[in-house]
Amino acid sequence: MTGKWLYWFDELGIGDIELVGKKCANLGEMTKAKVSVPPGFALSLEAYQRFMNETGLTEEVTEFLKRYGDEGIKGYGQFMEASRFVRELIETKEMPADMAALIKENYRKLCTQCGLEDVAVAVRSSGPVSMPGTFETYLNIIGEDDVVKHIIKVWASTFNVQAIGHRVNQHHPLLIDGIGVAILKMVKAKTAGVAFTMHPTTMDDTKIVIEGTWGLGESVVSGAISPDRIVVDKNTGEIDMHINPKLKQVVYQEKGTQMVDVPLELQNVPCLTKEEVGRLAELAKSIEKYYGVAQDIEWVFDDDMDPAQNLFLVQTRNISVVKEKKTDAEKIVELMLLRVFPRRSTPKTFGEKTP
């Protein structure tokens, strides 16, 4: 162990995936590339290990898992039982005093940097390996005590039902080396979503596909709503907009977030202007050029900032492409599955698992 387990984004880069996880490493790389990224800091995998070891959780969880015998956990019922017990166990533990003090000190530095007494932050998981959507994220967290509390909640999510099931099915140990955590300033989202620098179904690398909605982007990322879908030609700049009725949006409440109705006058209005689409497409192209491979990008337009400076990126991931395009039959099967198990189009559709 290095002893250091907290890093500001400008200390990190793409080579630090094993240190802080993919999301944090990418936030660091984008910060170095001078992309507009919300300010913040990261906790390394070592922070998770310290917490688990110094609170006695490693021994307690190991002892609990012995009840399942040599065959280990099997079946959804046991996944649920183990998840409930271990998550409650983790969330009842106090952060070691020196760790809590350092996290609070850096949260206060972030508040000072942002010119706010208590800045609202996102507390996001950052896995070192691809486990899409497995671990949990908490938004609009305010105050140093709540930040510490939700970091522990993110760590506890390494034992949610999906995470346990994944490890069992992949024959991985149930006790893991840990995940990173990103603590970054919340953006007051006017509109948000994702952008693919390659068409996610046709794999046409001359197209950028943008999906967006009003409010925070979690409803797009999770597949909870049908977003606007915009296709931009990289060469000509031609824009093709398909506007969906946007009935719900995720917005801030005093603490945390909630799903609310979109005002009637905005439900059938494009969430992005053509000028905003153009800016986002140009930024997406520059990110793709920087990384040298097609990207899946999460973006936000800030409602409080000058329109010339209000576009932020909160994540980017490489897209890996399979060699052969899908047949029409494969596309039809996928569409049928999407109706039964709705989710957004992601790189996983054509070969990439995301962090």
Side-chain angles (χ1 to χ4, degrees), residues 290-324:
Y290 181 86
Y291 282 93
V293 64
Q295 295 291 299
D296 168 11
I297 297 165
E298 295 179 21
W299 54 267
V300 185
F301 278 94
D302 192 313
D303 201 26
D304 281 344
M305 294 190 65
D306 185 299
Q309 300 176 314
N310 66 345
L311 173 56
F312 289 88
L313 301 189
V314 294
Q315 172 68 302
T316 191
R317 311 170 179 87
N318 291 351
I319 296 176
S320 298
V321 184
V322 296
K323 292 183 179 180
E324 296 182 2

Side-chain angles (χ1 to χ4, degrees), residues 188-244:
K188 187 178 180 183
K190 172 179 76 77
T191 184
V194 296
F196 305 111
T197 63
M198 173 184 294
H199 198 294
T201 53
T202 67
M203 290 174 283
D204 183 348
D205 61 7
T206 69
K207 299 293 189 292
I208 296 171
V209 177
I210 298 168
E211 294 181 348
T213 191
W214 300 113
L216 297 167
E218 266 53 39
S219 57
V220 177
V221 174
S222 67
I225 57 97
S226 295
D228 290 344
R229 188 174 178 89
I230 304 160
V231 180
V232 183
D233 189 289
K234 289 180 182 176
N235 299 318
T236 67
E238 181 182 352
I239 297 172
D240 179 21
M241 302 181 84
H242 179 79
I243 309 306
N244 283 312

Side-chain angles (χ1 to χ4, degrees), residues 2-3 10 15 18 28 33 50-51 79 81 93-94 100 122 145 165 171 187 198 203 220 232 262 283 289 298 321 350:
T2 64
D10 59 8
E18 295 301 318
R50 276 199 58 188
F51 174 75
F79 295 168
E81 177 186 62
K93 298 292 185 180
E94 295 287 334
D145 290 332
H171 306 290
V187 177
M198 173 184 294
M203 290 174 283
V220 177
V232 183
V262 173
L283 181 57
K289 182 177 180 181
E298 295 179 21
V321 184
F350 47 96

Side-chain angles (χ1 to χ4, degrees), residues 135-173:
F135 307 129
E136 289 162 24
T137 284
Y138 297 91
L139 303 178
N140 199 30
I141 306 305
I142 300 171
E144 59 185 34
D145 290 332
D146 268 1
V147 169
V148 172
K149 174 183 174 181
H150 284 86
I151 288 168
I152 293 173
K153 283 181 171 289
V154 169
W155 286 337
S157 75
T158 60
F159 286 93
N160 64 27
V161 172
Q162 185 178 354
I164 290 174
H166 174 87
R167 294 201 286 276
V168 169
N169 291 333
Q170 297 297 317
H171 306 290
H172 293 163

Side-chain angles (χ1 to χ4, degrees), residues 60-81:
E60 291 180 64
V61 174
T62 300
E63 187 64 29
F64 168 78
L65 294 174
K66 287 180 181 178
R67 70 171 59 185
Y68 296 103
D70 293 337
E71 292 188 357
I73 296 177
K74 288 186 177 181
Y76 187 76
Q78 290 188 353
F79 295 168
M80 285 280 292
E81 177 186 62

